[in-house]
Amino acid sequence: MVHQLDLTAVTRSAADQLLPVTPGLGVVTAVLLAAAVAVAGRGLLGHGHAVLRAGLRAVVQLAAVALVITWVVGSLWWSALFVLLMFAVAVRTAGRRMTRGPAWVWAAAPIAAGVAPVLGLLLAVGLLPPKGLSVIPVAGILIGGALTATSLAGRRALDELRQRHGEVEAALALGFEERDARLEICRTAAATSLVPALDQTRTVGLVTLPGAFVGMLLGGATPVQAGAVQLFVLVALLAVESVAIVVVLELVARGRVATGPATGGRPDGIG
């Protein structure tokens, strides 16, 4: 009984540290979104509409998730379907960022190649309990990392091939295979897609305190436990994103992903 009371007290204390969910929070959020739209829509950026759409979509999607998540996590099968839905959305998003047309479906390969082995290993060795409340957050983190790496690497590789098409032709004239010629040109640009994950890992605890670490502390875990989990998350993301980038490079080098412009009619693919 004493232990239960202590746990309740810790939970309440953790909740007190969070932003209070009041009308004021909604007002501040709306003001910040309006400011972001105003700034992004002016001058050098020109992405005000994209910022607005992203903010409004976030409102709708988070509201929907809040309504269904407690029901979904109660069943492992429904949780698995939810993870598949996250995967499908990630494939669509990353693929359409890279290219328009049917070639976007190839984004499934790098995302699956990065996420499936890590998630399967965690389940196989028992580090990740086969419960929706455990699987969904971890899968979401890994899929999100793979999405970012796939999108960035694919776009940078394709942009590099478009801009340096003459160098590809020169390499072919020198006797390079088409795959090798394309890979030689786009490899360095695509590899920079790993920089955000590297910077986050290098500066963790010094510049940023990531969500897993803070969330576990607020949930009552010790700093050592929170640090161990956050370390795992960062290393897992490095592995997932590295695999995703390598697979994207191979797909681009083999011409599986076309070098057409990004979706939405914008050369930068933002929209």
Side-chain angles (χ1 to χ4, degrees):
M1 179 66 70
V2 174
H3 176 71
Q4 291 178 343
L5 292 176
D6 290 342
L7 183 59
T8 302
V10 169
T11 303
R12 288 177 178 173
S13 176
D16 291 340
Q17 307 302 316
L18 300 174
L19 290 173
V21 183
T22 64
L25 180 62
V27 172
V28 172
T29 302
V31 170
L32 290 175
L33 178 59
V37 171
V39 174
R42 289 178 175 272
L44 300 176
L45 299 182
H47 295 317
H49 291 297
V51 172
L52 179 60
R53 285 195 297 270
L56 294 178
R57 283 187 60 174
V59 172
V60 174
Q61 290 164 191
L62 287 174
V65 169
L67 290 175
V68 304
I69 193 69
T70 54
W71 176 68
V72 169
V73 297
S75 167
L76 184 58
W77 291 109
W78 281 111
S79 298
L81 288 176
F82 193 82
V83 170
L84 287 176
L85 174 62
M86 290 193 293
F87 173 76
V89 173
V91 170
R92 173 74 175 180
T93 302
R96 299 298 281 178
R97 286 294 183 205
M98 290 190 294
T99 183
R100 66 172 62 183
W104 67 264
V105 299
W106 282 102
I111 295 176
V115 173
V118 175
L119 199 59
L121 177 63
L122 290 175
L123 290 169
V125 301
L127 288 176
L128 185 64
K131 299 178 180 178
L133 196 58
S134 301
V135 172
I136 289 177
V138 174
I141 291 172
L142 299 179
I143 292 173
L147 184 160
T148 301
T150 299
S151 177
L152 289 177
R155 286 179 57 190
R156 289 174 181 174
L158 293 174
D159 286 345
E160 198 76 356
L161 289 176
R162 280 194 293 268
Q163 295 170 9
R164 301 172 61 185
H165 178 71
E167 295 178 51
V168 176
E169 295 295 332
L172 292 174
L174 291 174
F176 280 72
E177 295 291 335
E178 184 173 359
R179 171 194 174 275
D180 296 335
R182 293 162 64 89
L183 191 60
E184 188 68 24
I185 299 303
C186 69
R187 177 171 48 201
T188 301
T192 61
S193 302
L194 194 60
V195 170
L198 289 172
D199 286 345
Q200 184 181 28
T201 304
R202 288 169 178 161
T203 62
V204 65
L206 299 176
V207 177
T208 61
L209 292 177
F213 181 84
V214 175
M216 289 198 65
L217 285 180
L218 293 177
T222 67
V224 173
Q225 291 173 324
V229 171
Q230 185 60 66
L231 177 62
F232 159 75
V233 169
L234 291 172
V235 173
L237 282 174
L238 282 176
V240 167
E241 294 188 27
S242 297
V243 171
I245 291 171
V246 169
V247 175
V248 167
L249 272 171
E250 190 65 31
L251 290 173
V252 171
R254 293 180 179 274
R256 297 294 186 270
V257 180
T259 56
T263 185
R266 300 185 59 106
D268 53 17
I270 295 178

